[in-house]
Amino acid sequence: MDHDAEFAAYAEESWGALVRSAVFLGCRLPEAEDLAQTTLTRCYAAWDRVRAADNRDAYVYRMLVNSLRDSRRRRWWGEHATDQVPEAPLRGVRRDPTADVDTADAIHRAMAGLSKVNREVVVLRYFAQLTEQQTAEALGVPAGTVKSRLSRALAQLASDSHLAGFTEGLNSRRGP
């Protein structure tokens, strides 16, 4: 498979997961789509390094997190309001704003209560489904740090009042 075709296949496969991860990192959907696009643009420019990485997903998610951090440092993104309709949404990105509103709101509120570093670990580990080692590589921290941050974050999420209605009954489903 040639360079462009291989990248195109990877980009199509990972687009939805990158957008979802950006949303869970605190971005609104339009910003998340911009962040995923920026990440994939940087990924394309460095495709030989990305392809050669020991762990491609960890490498790309590190690019995503770094792009988000870079964008938060800037005061102005250089965007201008326009009266033109944007192009059609990409396939695989859910556009129904009314579906699962309560669940999405509860998750956003609970995730917003986490510190930035704990939110990054939860998103990469559980929403992006990276392993602990991949998450550590993506964030540039030791695996033990990932484990301790996850432990603290999950304890905080378990006691979060926004998720109370969603976590009831979980303990009764677990075995002894």
Side-chain angles (χ1 to χ4, degrees), residues 3-43:
H3 180 273
D4 288 343
E6 184 180 8
F7 172 78
Y10 180 79
E12 185 174 345
E13 172 187 312
S14 63
W15 173 260
L18 290 171
V19 171
R20 281 188 303 277
S21 295
V23 167
F24 284 119
L25 285 169
C27 300
R28 295 279 177 216
L29 184 59
E31 182 187 3
E33 290 172 340
D34 288 347
L35 184 62
Q37 183 175 358
T38 299
T39 300
L40 288 173
T41 300
R42 290 178 178 179
C43 188

Side-chain angles (χ1 to χ4, degrees), residues 44-57:
Y44 179 76
W47 186 243
D48 289 334
R49 283 192 312 255
V50 173
R51 183 174 42 185
D54 290 336
N55 192 311
R56 185 181 296 176
D57 288 333

